[in-house]
Amino acid sequence: MHLVFPKKMEGILRYLKFKLLPRTLFFRTMLLIFIPLIVVQIVSIVAFFDGTWGRVGKRLSTNLTSNMAFAIRLSEEAPNNIPKIQQLTQKIFDMEFQYYPNDQKHAVIRSVRKQNKLVTGFLEDALKNEFPEAISSIYIGNGSPDLVVFVDMENGLYKFATSSKNIFSSSIFGFVAWMIGTSLLLFLVAVLFLRIQVRSIADLATAAEDFGKGIDNKNFKPYGSSEVRRAGIAFIKMKERIQRQIRERTQMLAGVSHDLRTPLTRMKLQLALLPDDKDKNGIDKHEFLQDVDEMEKMLEGYLSFVSGEGGEPSTFVDMNEMILSILNKFRNSKALIRYTTNDQVSAIQGREQALKRALTNIIGNAFNYGNTVAVSLESNNNKLEITVDDDGPGIPVDKREEVFKAFYRIEDSRNKETGGVGLGLAIAKDVIVSHGGKIELTDSPIGGLRVLISIPL
């Protein structure tokens, strides 16, 4: 059954859920365990104190107050027998008893530790009921006896000293301590078991994320609950199927490459044997050779694009050194080169040759169509950002998604003299996406095209 709330209330609930609820599975599950546990503890303790603690405390305080009243009445009836009354109260009630006349009582009361309402609250009520006209004070000290009660009456001050155990049962605190200790132990065990389950899910997510970036995490082994193990085993089987398909595709393309290169090579040899002059039909062999060379370039580009550099292992790549090495290849060009970097940018894990090819394609395009090329390398929010700007003709906004398609060319800005076949940006995007990143085309502040690449660290 799904409850339907007004839109405003749904917005408030969604906001509270976003702000108050933790993000991770571990802490959300901890709330499911911790909150009911705390509620049960609070209800149990409150019910216990309202029941057992209250009954026991009232009964003990009433008995102690009755013993005090009995000693006071004996003292009032026989003031000369106070020493004997003191002996009787000590022997029978385990309570020290002292009487001070009004002229001495102010020198008796000393400043001691303030009473604890949780312990002495019932005794205070009992004293008020038993001696409504008197002023009673309760103090708890550190000595033995530790409970001191003053009853200030018209005829003098009565001081009683006894053990605080006579007004409450110390086993009650032991019971509460056992309850809290047992709950903490159960909570600790739940945390340990839950960490194992959450860690198995986190490892599965990491393995899937690494595989999405082209990193083969061979150390991953499914563990945890049966559901998590099933998901891990299914992921491993899926990864093996994908890798097998990639290997089969690469092998098939290698065979296709061999089959296509052979007739092209024969055509080049046959054309080389033809005379340099045009034949009777006016056909020049150099035009044929140019067409064959272009076909070879298209074939090499297509094979590189569909193979995706899949066989290359993943290593740690220093992007700063890679970009510098690519820029050094274009130092002899007439374009102005600007490069800025952040020294704190760390290396990323990826396929070095694939990344180098993607960046070479992008930076090479900037040098082909611009007179000024600006490259920057920064790290932001756990991702690496590479920006390539040029002052060339740029790419129209409505064509910026189309240029990532294989063999797509913008005729008014690219021509065959550049040597491209329309696969540079397609290969670059395929490499960047396979590393978990993304590539965007925007307007450059220096007048041409800006290529923004972001790769997670």
Side-chain angles (χ1 to χ4, degrees):
M1 181 179 179
H2 180 68
L3 297 177
V4 179
F5 296 99
K7 291 184 177 180
K8 187 174 182 180
M9 184 176 293
E10 284 187 357
I12 296 174
L13 293 176
R14 192 180 300 110
Y15 175 81
L16 293 176
K17 179 181 178 181
F18 179 77
K19 289 295 183 180
L20 299 180
L21 283 181
R23 302 292 181 85
T24 62
L25 175 63
F26 177 79
F27 287 104
R28 287 191 176 187
T29 309
M30 281 294 98
L31 284 181
L32 295 177
I33 297 174
F34 187 69
I35 292 179
L37 193 62
I38 292 297
V39 172
V40 170
Q41 291 294 322
I42 293 175
V43 171
S44 300
I45 292 175
V46 169
F48 175 78
F49 275 100
D50 285 343
T52 304
W53 176 269
R55 290 194 302 268
V56 174
K58 290 179 181 179
R59 186 175 301 170
L60 293 176
S61 298
T62 301
N63 292 337
L64 181 60
T65 306
S66 299
N67 296 336
M68 293 178 184
F70 178 73
I72 291 175
R73 290 191 180 93
L74 289 178
S75 301
E76 291 176 346
E77 294 178 358
N80 297 327
N81 294 329
I82 289 180
K84 293 182 178 181
I85 298 173
Q86 292 174 342
Q87 294 177 359
L88 289 173
T89 55
Q90 180 67 41
K91 183 178 180 181
I92 299 174
F93 303 130
D94 190 21
M95 179 175 58
E96 297 179 2
F97 166 59
Q98 298 290 336
Y99 169 73
Y100 301 94
N102 289 329
D103 57 348
Q104 299 179 7
K105 64 181 181 181
H106 295 291
V108 175
I109 300 176
R110 295 289 184 267
S111 176
V112 292
R113 197 173 75 179
K114 188 178 180 181
Q115 62 267 30
N116 188 343
K117 294 291 184 181
L118 181 63
V119 177
T120 63
F122 297 123
L123 181 57
E124 289 181 357
D125 295 338
L127 289 172
K128 290 179 181 179
N129 293 331
E130 187 68 34
F131 310 107
E133 303 297 333
I135 300 175
S136 57
S137 302
I138 305 172
Y139 299 94
I140 295 180
N142 296 322
S144 179
D146 56 348
L147 178 65
V148 178
V149 179
F150 293 101
V151 181
D152 189 3
M153 304 183 72
E154 294 182 358
N155 59 341
L157 175 68
Y158 296 91
K159 176 184 177 182
F160 299 93
T162 185
S163 175
S164 59
K165 296 180 180 180
N166 291 328
I167 61 172
F168 73 93
S169 176
S170 60
S171 60
I172 293 176
F173 291 108
F175 171 74
V176 175
W178 273 106
M179 284 183 58
I180 297 176
T182 305
S183 300
L184 292 177
L185 179 61
L186 293 175
F187 183 75
L188 179 61
V189 172
V191 168
L192 294 177
F193 277 97
L194 185 60
R195 282 179 63 88
I196 296 174
Q197 302 302 322
V198 173
R199 191 185 300 119
S200 63
I201 299 175
D203 291 344
L204 175 59
T206 301
E209 185 178 359
D210 290 342
F211 182 66
K213 296 178 182 179
I215 303 172
D216 188 7
N217 188 357
K218 297 181 179 179
N219 297 325
F220 171 72
K221 294 181 180 179
Y223 66 96
S225 62
S226 59
E227 292 82 1
V228 178
R229 287 199 300 270
R230 286 176 57 190
I233 294 172
F235 165 74
I236 292 176
K237 291 181 178 179
M238 179 193 68
K239 183 180 72 172
E240 292 175 350
R241 286 195 298 269
I242 293 175
Q243 290 175 338
R244 184 169 60 252
Q245 291 174 357
I246 293 174
R247 288 193 300 267
E248 292 175 353
R249 187 188 68 171
T250 304
Q251 292 174 359
M252 181 189 69
L253 292 173
V256 172
S257 173
H258 179 270
D259 294 340
L260 291 178
R261 284 194 182 102
T262 300
L264 287 175
T265 302
R266 286 201 302 265
M267 292 173 63
K268 292 180 68 174
L269 290 174
Q270 292 174 359
L271 289 172
L273 296 176
L274 294 177
D276 293 337
D277 298 334
K278 294 182 179 180
D279 59 10
K280 61 181 180 179
N281 296 321
I283 299 176
D284 189 357
K285 77 169 186 177
H286 294 292
E287 295 179 357
F288 279 109
L289 287 174
Q290 290 178 358
D291 291 337
V292 172
D293 290 338
E294 185 177 356
M295 290 176 65
E296 283 187 331
K297 289 180 181 179
M298 293 177 66
L299 177 62
E300 294 293 337
Y302 176 72
L303 292 176
S304 299
F305 170 69
V306 295
S307 63
E309 308 289 346
E312 183 184 359
S314 179
T315 58
F316 283 98
V317 183
D318 191 332
M319 299 302 296
N320 184 34
E321 293 184 1
M322 177 182 290
I323 294 175
L324 287 175
S325 66
I326 295 173
L327 292 176
N328 287 332
K329 296 180 180 179
F330 299 94
R331 291 294 180 185
N332 296 328
S333 65
K334 297 180 181 180
L336 176 64
I337 303 174
R338 283 186 256 169
Y339 178 54
T340 57
T341 184
N342 185 351
D343 295 335
Q344 297 181 351
V345 174
S346 60
I348 65 171
Q349 190 172 4
R351 302 188 302 277
E352 183 175 4
Q353 294 302 320
L355 288 171
K356 189 171 184 179
R357 180 169 189 176
L359 292 178
T360 301
N361 291 344
I362 294 171
I363 296 175
N365 284 341
F367 279 100
N368 288 335
Y369 305 110
N371 296 321
T372 301
V373 177
V375 182
S376 65
L377 176 65
E378 294 289 339
S379 61
N380 182 21
N381 296 329
N382 297 324
K383 63 182 179 181
L384 195 73
E385 291 186 347
I386 304 171
T387 305
V388 181
D389 293 302
D390 64 66
D391 59 350
I395 297 177
V397 177
D398 58 340
K399 302 293 185 181
R400 289 175 183 174
E401 291 295 331
E402 300 291 330
V403 295
F404 289 112
K405 295 180 179 180
F407 300 109
Y408 184 86
R409 296 167 57 90
I410 300 178
E411 296 301 333
D412 57 354
S413 61
R414 291 169 171 79
N415 51 56
K416 295 183 179 180
E417 281 71 21
T418 63
V421 295
L423 285 173
L425 289 177
I427 293 174
K429 183 176 181 180
D430 182 69
V431 172
I432 299 302
V433 172
S434 67
H435 285 79
K438 62 179 181 179
I439 181 171
E440 297 177 283
L441 303 181
T442 59
D443 294 329
S444 174
I446 62 176
L449 181 69
R450 162 170 286 188
V451 182
L452 177 61
I453 301 170
S454 61
I455 304 175
L457 295 175

